[in-house]
């Protein structure tokens, strides 16, 4: 299995809602990432997990809350979002943060989020 | 913050022609990667070139790296309509752990 699976593909939520984005990989990768991408812009790093521990938080607002329940799963919990948070949210994984394969990312297809 | 800028921002060519995209970056790096993104989808890793390499080939792709100029180029030979996508260079600046940072991207349109 060489895939990263993201659900849902599309999500529409109001500013008072609480929702979650989910990401799953079964490649045995030990590093997982969340990126945010606005239209016609490059992906921007949000969070990095290594061996289920948060390694990097790029000063992301607390209305985005990541969680890594185990080495195969990565969640992004959303609460009290703003319309400007509407974007494509991309999950990715890599073998690890060190050594061979580090930083070579396998991406999911993304979850397109619209905040009304 | 963006580490790289790509040039051109958009490129339109006919099938069979070659496409060249350039990437400039700001700080020293261990390696540079190129990714492709079809419209609204996830990114796909294409090729990685290490800082001690000058040129690398993979199928119809040729990547060059000039660390003295902090620049890289991606050449796609004999382009096909299926090559239509956005192409991003990506780097991890030395000393920043795993902050893989993407350039601004080049949107390639290949027409029949």
């Amino acid at each position: 299995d060489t895939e990263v699976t993201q659900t849902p593909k599309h999500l529409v939520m109001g500013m008072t809602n609480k929702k979650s984005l989910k990401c799953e990989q079964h490649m045995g990768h030990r590093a997982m990432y969340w990126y945010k991408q606005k239209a016609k812009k490059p992906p921007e790093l949000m969070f990095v997990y290594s061996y289920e521990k948060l390694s990097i938080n790029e000063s992301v607002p607390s209305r985005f809350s990541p969680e890594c329940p185990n080495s195969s799963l990565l969640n992004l919990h959303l609460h009290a979002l703003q319309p400007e948070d509407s974007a494509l949210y991309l999950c990715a994984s890599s073998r690890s943060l060190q050594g061979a394969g580090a930083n070579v990312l396998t991406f999911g297809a993304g979850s397109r989020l619209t905040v009304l | 913050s963006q580490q790289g800028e790509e040039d051109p921002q958009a490129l339109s060519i006919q099938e069979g022609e070659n496409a060249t995209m350039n990437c400039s970056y700001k700080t020293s790096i261990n390696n540079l990667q190129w990714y492709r993104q079809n419209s609204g989808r996830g990114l796909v890793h294409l090729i990685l070139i290490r800082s001690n390499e000058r040129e690398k080939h993979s199928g119809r792709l040729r990547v060059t790296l000039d660390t003295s100029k902090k620049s890289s180029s991606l050449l796609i030979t004999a382009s096909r309509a299926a090559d239509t996508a956005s192409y991003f260079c990506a780097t991890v600046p030395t000393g920043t752990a795993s902050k893989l940072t993407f350039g601004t991207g080049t949107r390639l349109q290949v027409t029949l």
Side-chain angles (χ1 to χ4, degrees), chain A residues 11-30:
Chain A
L11 178 63
V12 179
M13 61 186 290
M15 289 190 285
T16 58
N17 292 157
K18 284 185 182 180
K19 297 285 184 183
S20 297
L21 305 180
K22 296 185 184 301
C23 175
E24 189 169 5
Q25 57 88 14
H26 295 289
M27 295 177 282
H29 287 179
R30 303 313 300 263

Side-chain angles (χ1 to χ4, degrees), chain B residues 2-108:
Chain B
Q2 286 162 207
Q3 159 74 325
E5 292 209 2
E6 290 177 62
D7 164 54
Q9 287 187 350
L11 180 60
S12 183
I13 60 174
Q14 290 193 315
E15 207 172 40
E17 293 180 337
N18 295 342
T20 300
M21 295 158 243
N22 302 296
C23 167
S24 59
Y25 56 91
K26 297 174 185 174
T27 63
S28 62
I29 59 172
N30 293 325
N31 62 62
L32 184 143
Q33 302 175 50
W34 286 88
Y35 286 78
R36 182 187 76 219
Q37 184 177 33
N38 290 82
S39 180
R41 305 280 296 172
L43 286 80
V44 175
H45 177 260
L46 296 176
I47 195 167
L48 179 151
I49 185 166
R50 302 190 192 288
S51 58
N52 60 355
E53 296 175 311
R54 291 296 166 259
E55 187 171 313
K56 199 163 183 180
H57 297 254
S58 177
R60 293 184 295 113
L61 306 180
R62 172 178 167 253
V63 170
T64 63
L65 179 64
D66 187 336
T67 52
S68 66
K69 294 181 179 177
K70 293 188 170 58
S71 68
S72 174
S73 68
L74 171 67
L75 168 68
I76 303 174
T77 60
S79 63
R80 305 166 181 168
D83 295 327
T84 294
S86 291
Y87 291 82
F88 295 92
C89 64
T91 58
V92 177
T94 305
T96 62
S98 291
K99 293 187 179 183
L100 185 68
T101 305
F102 290 87
T104 52
T106 293
R107 291 190 304 281
L108 174 65

Side-chain angles (χ1 to χ4, degrees), chain A residues 9 33 35 37 40-45 48 56 58 88 90 96-97 102-110 112, chain B residues 1-2 31 33 35 37 39-45 48 88 92 96-105 107:
Chain A
K9 287 186 168 48
Y33 309 73
Y35 280 82
Q37 186 178 27
K40 297 188 178 181
K41 296 291 187 182
E44 294 181 352
L45 183 64
V48 180
I56 295 174
E58 287 288 90
L88 181 68
L90 293 161
S96 69
L97 297 187
N103 309 131
V104 176
L105 272 55
T106 302
F107 279 86
R112 186 162 298 283
Chain B
S1 61
Q2 286 162 207
N31 62 62
Q33 302 175 50
Y35 286 78
Q37 184 177 33
S39 180
R41 305 280 296 172
L43 286 80
V44 175
H45 177 260
L48 179 151
F88 295 92
V92 177
T96 62
S98 291
K99 293 187 179 183
L100 185 68
T101 305
F102 290 87
T104 52
R107 291 190 304 281

Side-chain angles (χ1 to χ4, degrees), chain A:
Chain A
D1 190 348
T2 58
E3 284 189 344
V4 174
T5 304
Q6 289 189 244
T7 55
K9 287 186 168 48
H10 300 274
L11 178 63
V12 179
M13 61 186 290
M15 289 190 285
T16 58
N17 292 157
K18 284 185 182 180
K19 297 285 184 183
S20 297
L21 305 180
K22 296 185 184 301
C23 175
E24 189 169 5
Q25 57 88 14
H26 295 289
M27 295 177 282
H29 287 179
R30 303 313 300 263
M32 297 187 77
Y33 309 73
W34 280 115
Y35 280 82
K36 172 183 176 180
Q37 186 178 27
K38 303 282 273 185
K40 297 188 178 181
K41 296 291 187 182
E44 294 181 352
L45 183 64
M46 299 176 71
F47 303 104
V48 180
Y49 273 83
S50 176
Y51 288 85
E52 300 144 52
K53 294 193 187 310
L54 184 63
S55 177
I56 295 174
N57 176 345
E58 287 288 90
S59 303
V60 179
S62 60
R63 57 185 185 268
F64 295 92
S65 175
E67 178 197 20
C68 190
N70 61 56
S71 60
S72 299
L73 293 174
L74 184 66
N75 299 321
L76 186 62
H77 302 298
L78 314 170
H79 175 53
L81 295 193
Q82 304 296 312
E84 58 264 29
D85 296 322
S86 298
L88 181 68
Y89 288 84
L90 293 161
C91 174
S93 68
S94 67
R95 283 186 200 166
S96 69
L97 297 187
Q98 307 287 341
N103 309 131
V104 176
L105 272 55
T106 302
F107 279 86
S111 292
R112 186 162 298 283
L113 173 67
T114 302
V115 182
L116 301 176

